Amino acid sequence: GEDVEQSLFLSVREGDSSVINCTYTDSSSTYLYWYKQEPGAGLQLLTYIFSNMDMKQDQRLTVLLNKKDKHLSLRIADTQTGDSAIYFCAENSGTYKYIFGTGTRLKVLA
Amino acid sequence: GAVVSQHPSWVICKSGTSVKIECRSLDFQATTMFWYRQFPKQSLMLMATSNEGSKATYEQGVEKDKFLINHASLTLSTLTVTSAHPEDSSFYICSARDLARGMNTEAFFGQGTRLTVV
């Protein structure tokens, strides 16, 4: 079945860039998403990328997609303490289901 | 973006009782709602998918008689945890999509419900 993997932890200093990586197995993925989850809260959509795109930039967020390697990354520029959260990538292959990654816990050090 | 309201945010109940969690789409019609369970420091596990006016589709390993899902209107779905036990303690999250607008429409998530069974 489909599988989405992420590294579990990332720690960066405030002001540095963060790069969160995600790999997936479903080659028919049409949309790939990045969600942010703060403690005790639901998921907030940060950004998404369509599978025929290589890159998408949205303010401090840059998404890179390598479809050949099935690799997705989220870069957060000028990371702030408020960016500390769990980040989930998710893929959707045009069905009703989203497949979520394991989540990456980002800790931003002041 | 659209708003999905989940209620309650947290609940403590006694073992053996039932708990109902509501998920409402406030400003759009949710043809499909999803219920997830999230264990500490883990990803979201899809429990079931409900379409308005029809029976929910449960994922493998999820007991449909224990986790009752009702999606009677385009703006409300409920999850009832029946005869709750301590192992049902978890964070439950709903999400809603308007699939009448296409399969790639965005999913909006509720704030989650922390259930503790004592």
Side-chain angles (χ1 to χ4, degrees), chain A residues 10-18 20 35-39 44 46 59-61 74-88 104-109:
Chain A
L10 177 65
S11 180
V12 300
R13 294 203 176 277
E14 191 174 21
D16 289 351
S17 292
S18 308
I20 302 170
Y35 283 88
K36 177 183 181 182
Q37 184 182 34
E38 299 193 22
Q44 173 197 355
L46 289 178
Q59 299 183 333
R60 291 193 296 126
L61 305 179
L74 173 69
R75 179 177 181 270
I76 305 173
D78 186 26
T79 314
Q80 302 297 307
T81 53
D83 295 324
S84 293
I86 302 174
Y87 291 80
F88 291 96
T104 299
R105 187 176 296 270
L106 173 65
K107 184 172 182 179
V108 182
L109 305 172

Side-chain angles (χ1 to χ4, degrees), chain B residues 30-93:
Chain B
T31 59
T32 307
M33 288 190 172
F34 304 85
W35 287 96
Y36 296 86
R37 184 172 179 176
Q38 187 180 29
F39 293 100
K41 299 183 181 178
Q42 293 191 27
S43 188
L44 282 72
M45 181 191 80
L46 179 64
M47 298 173 66
T49 303
S50 72
N51 292 298
E52 183 263 337
S54 60
K55 288 185 179 179
T57 302
Y58 289 81
E59 296 297 302
Q60 193 173 7
V62 179
E63 297 176 61
K64 63 179 181 181
D65 294 328
K66 180 163 187 62
F67 299 100
L68 299 178
I69 291 172
N70 183 278
H71 191 168
S73 78
L74 284 171
T75 58
L76 174 65
S77 176
T78 60
L79 166 68
T80 302
V81 182
T82 62
S83 187
H85 290 284
E87 56 266 31
D88 299 325
S89 298
S90 192
F91 193 60
Y92 294 87
I93 305 177

Side-chain angles (χ1 to χ4, degrees), chain A residues 30-31 33 35 37 40-43 45 88 92 94-98 100-102 105, chain B residues 34 36 38 41 43-44 46 49 59 91 93 97 99 103-107 109-111:
Chain A
T30 51
Y31 279 93
Y33 306 84
Y35 283 88
Q37 184 182 34
L43 274 68
L45 178 66
F88 291 96
N92 174 255
T95 69
Y96 62 93
K97 280 189 190 181
Y98 281 25
F100 283 90
T102 42
R105 187 176 296 270
Chain B
F34 304 85
Y36 296 86
Q38 187 180 29
K41 299 183 181 178
S43 188
L44 282 72
L46 179 64
T49 303
E59 296 297 302
F91 193 60
I93 305 177
R97 297 175 71 190
L99 293 180
M103 280 294 185
N104 291 318
T105 52
E106 183 179 340
F109 286 80
Q111 310 96 310

